[in-house]
């Protein structure tokens, strides 16, 4: 009966391609990492599941009028979702440690070298003919080194939508791998003695400072680098809602219902970019490789910057907290704390590392603004 | 060096330059702001330990322990009502 | 003064049609059923109120740029709202009883006969010239027998938007009437002795099984019937978020803020389809009639299937739980439990009935996939 | 190096205009009022921050594909956001005091005179050549006198989008200034003896009355003035969800997650209308001036109406509660209570003032319907 | 008087007229509705004091006091567990 | 039989066939999956009674009883503070 034939030809078994099969496995791996290994579960679970949905043959959930494609167009192409997430992150961020010790901003600056080194790496591979990345694509890949999910997704959505899936997966995977990637680099670049350095107790920070800082930050970025203003603007808005103390119900919702809802759809939409025909390419391998480099270089430059600052200044800085400059909040700060405790059981670096940690978020947003300014025109 | 590479190198130089310039300005501005703020509101109202990334009690999710605690309380209450 | 005349001609009193008056009463009845009788209040209250708004003469809330029409276009035509609701339902569903006794899936399959019998009924009335339903419309009407709100709305939105209002109202009304519709049928088809059958205690189910099941279900549907993948995919996603235990904040929001927000707008948007000129037609009467048939047939076939299984297998099944196969979660399972207790005060069937109950959700999603596959092309 | 020149020309410092500088200061002032003075912080903080974002030179957040412009188009141009807010306000409103003493509805009616007096004022300034407002614009400005944020934003979005920023800022600012604007007027128009009048204890109100009232209100507005039905319809829907007691989870979400999320984006979107080139004009000054007049006239007419009613009726009304008729819920009711206590320490007017207070919301929605009916066609 | 002004005056008259007419009808309708409602459900289930704008316990946000109370309870529980 | 009817009958046959075929496959696959899962993680961590449609404590809405309990606790605390 020809209805049965029609049924068979519409089935996934009949339509599935090797690529889709591979991507279903990749989706499964992401779910495994999220659930069993607890690697950034909020994002890798949603991205992984979105990837599986996007590779079901014939379902067309991630194309045309399919749910995931609609969500992608509405939320990612417009940049709305990453900006809302960034607002939520701002509402969960405490600038206290940064305000208590503003010098640590320099560590957050140095760590951004990973971004630009990766940019060069991507262009290098292209010049060698190994890969074929445009300047825009290379810039988007570089931002992986910012170790900041929403920033990477925002920039990729603007500069290289075709690579968004791979970039987001790389960014979140390596953020989850920070406890494995960073420690060897940190140990290699520091002596036992340096890792044991104790830092001076942070001064208390007043409420007024915490309220004024996000406004100050927004005005400075607005005056110097407006292309970074959307990202940092929403970040500062979230932080101001948290610190001002007069809109707690808004801040509360931003940190919970709103960021959770957007995270679900952001993850699914990013996952929709894991379609076999888009994702399975040499460039994805290149991106995963370059992303690893980005994290390593960023970590190293943060540590080296801290050592340099120790040369110039009297008040000692434990170079380990330099590694937190890549952001990957709060994982990188915890890693610095952990490695510090190994060297000196009395050495609690967590609070000190939170400074460069959030500084890294600002730093990579600035780098993102630069990338957008100089390449989006091309 | 290919034109693409040189474009990349230029972008790197300008980029890292801007990042450092911006954060340097930010450090200076923050110091000034803090000085002024502390003159206006000298007494800090948040102890240093309080600094953390976790959101306040209102917004954070209860831990399993706390849920257990609350559930226990509720169970006790129900038992009491019977 | 001609302003006053203009005011009078713009008033509802001047513009109201008899149909609109009737529909305002219908809306009132739905509110009464929701509030006084507590019939599916979450949906009947919102649908009823939406229906009233849609029939206010001259307000044009449900047409053009009116709020309800915008919400309908954005949320129902795209299928986004029912899919999100389905995700939320998945996040509230426990597959434990089903996993403990997979055989009960057959009961969920049998009960879907109600869907196809209704399809035939609708076509029969058309052949007799009593009604005039196309195959698409008949398919959408049949899904009422799935006793599953979001599935019915999703399918109607795809195949027969013009009947969506009547179909949704019928589906939710009869789901609320399950405690009245099912018991007589259940008693008629079973002996006192059968109703008293006690079932063996369900085995404990491990967390791992609960995590793997939604993934397994999605892969199978993807390989065999991709047109059902959007519905079951979102359902499995919600269930996985609940069971995996690593994204509790997302699962929590999905079960509360998100599903509540979408329910409000889904109900209003469905209500916007209760406009007099669309709703007041013979086909609506036909749909209400056929929907009743669908529930009755589905209940009967579930019970009969359970009796058949008792013939074939040694481990006894209480035929009452077959009635839960129509889904209408969790009402139908409660009904089975209640009728069972009447026959045997020691007989707690609730958990055993939850298996066919959730199996019915899967079954009707599969049936929905079939309908979309074979009729949407026409 | 010409990259640096490009960077400089893209910077805010290079591009900033005097107008933008002024507006950045205005935004700062709004933040100050919201945080330090706690003036309507939920709205003035979000509007103020949106205004700052909208005036960052070169960021283009409030134009083209910028986030704030997208949010404005989706949420305000369509009227969706103010309507959702109104639903949330309805879900937080208790009609109890109004039902206990329906006469107070007249006070809510009288206070709307402020709206129409302001309309005349705006047209007068135009006739004198001081300003240049069309009838539509004058109508939108008048609604400021309704002392009801969402209503003002809804009407401005329909009739005078170009003035929306100024109108919203005026409405919320004066609502915050109610404790300063109203008392002198109230004292000037009443004698010590009148202010000391004690009112009879309010009768208890049954649940059934509270459930029926929103439905009654909707039907009446639908029959008499459909153009006000979208606003009052959503208001009644929210209130019914709260009072019916069968959809508490929906009512709960409406009063919290949903209204908070929409408030954030409503505020930002309104703020996007604070762009220098739009906001800095003589008409803004005119609007601020007229808005003040609107509040003053509304307060006065409410008080005078109460005095008139005292003439006609035996049961005494304390004229102070007439001032609450402008709405500005619940601030105006608190002001009436406070001024009343000054005159008579035993005189608790809060509950009595809540009646006219919510009546004022209904009254200004009716006035809004009139404005839309008679001017939107022009 | 300019045509614009006269249009405004007309709008004011019709507007205030409508507002008063509508609210008068509403007062009457409300009285009838209340009378019928009280006949159907005579016993009021909400004391007069209960009337207020604040949402019910379920929906309102906890006050600092209450957060303190809950936090204290949780802290106590944790202490107990150690 | 009209062509429409015969189309309907065909659809019914294919439809019910597919539903049963799919759920049969699902039953088999579930049995295999469970067997493997129980080999990997033998000890069940959820007692049979726990199986239910109601979401966990974190997500479900508090019942009036519980609200009463919590409110009482808060009230007690406030009273204590005075
Ligand atoms: Na970073
Ligand atoms: Na079903
Ligand atoms: Na008002």
């Amino acid at each position: 009966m020809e209805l049965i034939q029609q049924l068979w030809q519409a089935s996934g078994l009949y339509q599935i391609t090797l690529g889709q099969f591979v991507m279903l496995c990749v989706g499964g791996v992401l779910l495994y990492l999220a659930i069993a290994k607890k690697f950034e579960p909020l994002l890798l679970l949603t991205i992984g599941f979105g990837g599986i949905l996007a590779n079901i043959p014939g379902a067309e959930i991630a194309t045309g009028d399919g749910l995931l494609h609609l969500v992608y167009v509405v939320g990612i192409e417009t940049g709305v979702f990453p900006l809302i997430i960034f607002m939520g992150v701002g509402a969960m961020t405490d600038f206290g440690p940064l305000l208590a010790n503003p010098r640590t901003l320099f560590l957050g600056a140095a760590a951004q070298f990973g971004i630009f080194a990766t940019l060069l790496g991507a262009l290098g591979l292209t010049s060698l003919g190994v890969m074929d990345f445009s300047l825009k694509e290379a810039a988007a890949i570089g931002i992986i080194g910012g170790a900041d999910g929403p920033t990477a997704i925002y920039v990729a959505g603007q500069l290289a939508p075709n690579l968004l899936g791979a970039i987001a997966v790389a960014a979140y995977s390596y953020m989850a791998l920070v406890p494995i990637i960073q420690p060897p680099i940190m140990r290699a670049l520091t002596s036992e003695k340096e890792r044991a350095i104790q830092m001076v107790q942070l001064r208390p920070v007043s409420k007024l400072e915490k309220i004024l800082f996000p406004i100050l930050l927004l005005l400075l970025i607005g005056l110097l680098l407006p292309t970074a203003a959307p990202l940092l603007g929403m970040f500062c808005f979230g932080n101001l809602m948290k610190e001002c103390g007069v809109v707690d119900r808004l801040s509360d919702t931003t940190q919970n219902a709103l960021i959770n809802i957007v995270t679900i759809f952001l993850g699914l939409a990013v996952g929709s970019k894991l379609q076999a025909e888009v994702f399975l390419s040499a460039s994805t391998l290149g991106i995963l490789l370059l992303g690893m480099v980005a994290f390593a270089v960023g970590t190293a430059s943060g540590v080296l910057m801290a050592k340099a600052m120790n040369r110039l200044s009297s008040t000692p800085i434990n170079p380990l907290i330099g590694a937190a400059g890549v952001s990957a909040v709060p994982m990188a700060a915890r890693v610095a704390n952990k490695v510090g405790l190994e060297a000196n059981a009395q050495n609690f670096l967590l609070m000190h590392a939170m400074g460069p940690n959030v500084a890294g978020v600002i730093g990579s947003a600035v780098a993102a603004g630069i990338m957008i300014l100089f390449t989006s025109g091309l | 060096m290919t034109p693409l590479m040189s474009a990349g190198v230029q972008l790197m130089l300008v980029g890292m330059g801007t990042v450092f310039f911006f954060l340097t300005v930010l450090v200076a501005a923050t110091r000034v702001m803090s000085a002024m703020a502390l003159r206006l509101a000298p007494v800090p109202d948040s102890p240093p330990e309080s600094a953390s990334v976790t959101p306040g009690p209102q917004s954070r999710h209860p831990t399993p322990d706390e849920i257990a605690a609350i559930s226990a309380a509720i169970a006790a209450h129900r038992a009491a009502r019977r």
Side-chain angles (χ1 to χ4, degrees), chain A, chain B:
Chain A
M1 203 157 92
E2 110 283 3
L3 279 192
I4 299 204
Q5 193 191 351
Q6 193 180 336
L7 185 62
W8 162 242
Q9 289 176 352
S11 76
L13 275 171
Y14 179 87
Q15 299 181 57
I16 193 164
T17 66
L18 178 61
Q20 288 170 321
F21 177 78
V22 173
M23 288 313 295
L24 289 177
C25 300
V26 171
V29 171
L30 291 177
L31 294 185
Y32 173 80
L33 294 176
I35 297 170
K37 299 285 176 212
K38 301 197 173 22
F39 280 5
E40 294 281 331
L42 296 179
L43 269 298
L44 290 190
L45 183 92
T46 48
I47 293 176
F49 204 94
I52 291 175
L53 289 176
N55 286 284
I56 291 175
E60 286 172 0
I61 302 174
T63 58
D65 291 345
L67 176 63
L68 297 197
H69 186 249
L70 293 178
V71 174
Y72 179 84
V73 171
V74 170
I76 311 262
E77 260 181 24
T78 60
V80 169
F81 283 176
L83 290 175
I84 293 176
I85 298 272
F86 223 52
M87 174 173 74
V89 172
M92 297 189 199
T93 298
D94 182 338
F95 282 118
L98 181 62
L99 288 165
N101 188 5
R103 284 196 309 156
T104 55
L105 274 163
F106 292 117
L107 302 174
Q112 306 317 314
F113 184 68
I115 290 178
F116 295 98
T118 310
L119 166 78
L120 281 192
L123 296 176
L125 291 178
T126 305
S127 309
L128 298 176
V130 184
M131 293 283 161
D132 179 14
F133 294 124
S134 70
L135 190 57
K136 277 185 176 187
E137 293 173 331
I141 294 167
I143 295 295
I144 296 172
D148 187 82
T151 304
I153 292 170
Y154 180 78
V155 173
Q158 306 282 310
L159 300 181
N162 55 315
L163 303 181
L164 190 136
I167 288 172
V169 168
Y172 283 105
S173 305
Y174 293 135
M175 281 164 67
L177 288 171
V178 150
I180 296 159
I181 298 173
Q182 288 193 317
I185 300 168
M186 293 156 75
R187 293 202 191 87
L189 294 174
T190 54
S191 69
E192 182 76 23
K193 195 163 135 305
E194 288 173 316
R195 292 198 292 278
I197 293 175
Q198 296 216 12
M199 295 181 64
V200 291
Q201 159 79 306
L202 290 171
R203 72 167 176 87
V205 173
S206 75
K207 186 157 183 293
L208 181 57
E209 289 173 86
K210 289 187 176 182
I211 293 174
L212 291 177
F213 183 75
I215 301 169
L216 175 72
L217 175 56
L218 173 61
L219 291 179
L220 283 180
I221 203 69
L223 292 181
L224 298 179
L225 189 61
T227 47
L231 269 174
L232 279 177
M234 294 307 282
F235 186 74
C236 293
F237 180 54
N239 189 251
L240 182 63
M241 285 198 289
K242 168 180 176 255
E243 299 294 356
C244 71
V246 294
V247 293
D248 287 343
R249 59 179 294 159
L250 300 187
S251 160
D252 182 8
T253 296
T254 307
Q255 293 175 35
N256 293 289
L258 180 54
I259 197 170
N260 291 344
I261 291 170
V262 175
T263 300
I264 290 169
F265 292 110
L266 176 84
L268 289 174
V270 169
S272 75
K273 284 292 172 182
L274 267 57
Q275 290 169 81
E277 53 273 38
V278 185
F279 191 86
L280 290 179
S281 65
S283 38
T284 298
L285 288 177
I287 288 165
L288 291 173
L289 176 77
L290 290 162
M292 174 72 81
V293 174
F295 270 66
V297 175
T299 305
S301 28
V303 173
L304 294 173
M305 181 69 183
K307 293 177 72 163
M309 286 169 71
N310 267 342
R311 292 269 159 68
L312 307 174
S313 131
S314 56
T315 33
I317 291 182
N318 185 313
L320 294 176
I321 73 170
V326 297
S327 40
V329 183
M331 189 84 73
R334 296 211 189 105
V335 169
N337 188 55
K338 187 163 156 301
V339 179
L341 285 171
E342 290 168 5
N344 169 352
Q346 308 313 319
N347 203 359
F348 297 99
L349 294 174
L350 186 60
M351 276 310 125
H352 299 283
M354 288 311 306
N357 211 188
V358 297
V361 176
I362 299 172
S364 38
V366 172
I370 290 288
M371 298 301 197
I372 291 170
L373 170 60
F374 287 114
T375 71
S376 65
L378 306 181
Chain B
M1 190 158 73
T2 68
L4 192 61
M5 277 307 280
S6 65
V9 173
Q10 282 191 28
L11 191 49
M12 179 177 83
L13 295 175
V14 177
M16 283 309 288
T18 312
V19 170
F20 268 103
F21 175 69
F22 179 77
L23 291 186
T24 311
V25 174
L26 184 57
V27 169
T30 304
R31 290 228 165 90
V32 174
M33 180 275 285
S34 287
M36 287 164 52
L38 289 174
R39 190 162 304 133
L40 291 172
V43 188
D45 56 4
S46 64
E49 303 75 29
S50 85
S52 85
V53 174
T54 56
Q58 238 171 313
S59 54
R60 55 182 263 286
H61 279 249
T63 69
D65 293 344
E66 292 154 22
I67 293 163
I70 291 162
S71 317
I74 289 164
H77 162 76
R78 284 176 163 159
R81 287 185 57 259
R82 286 202 197 83

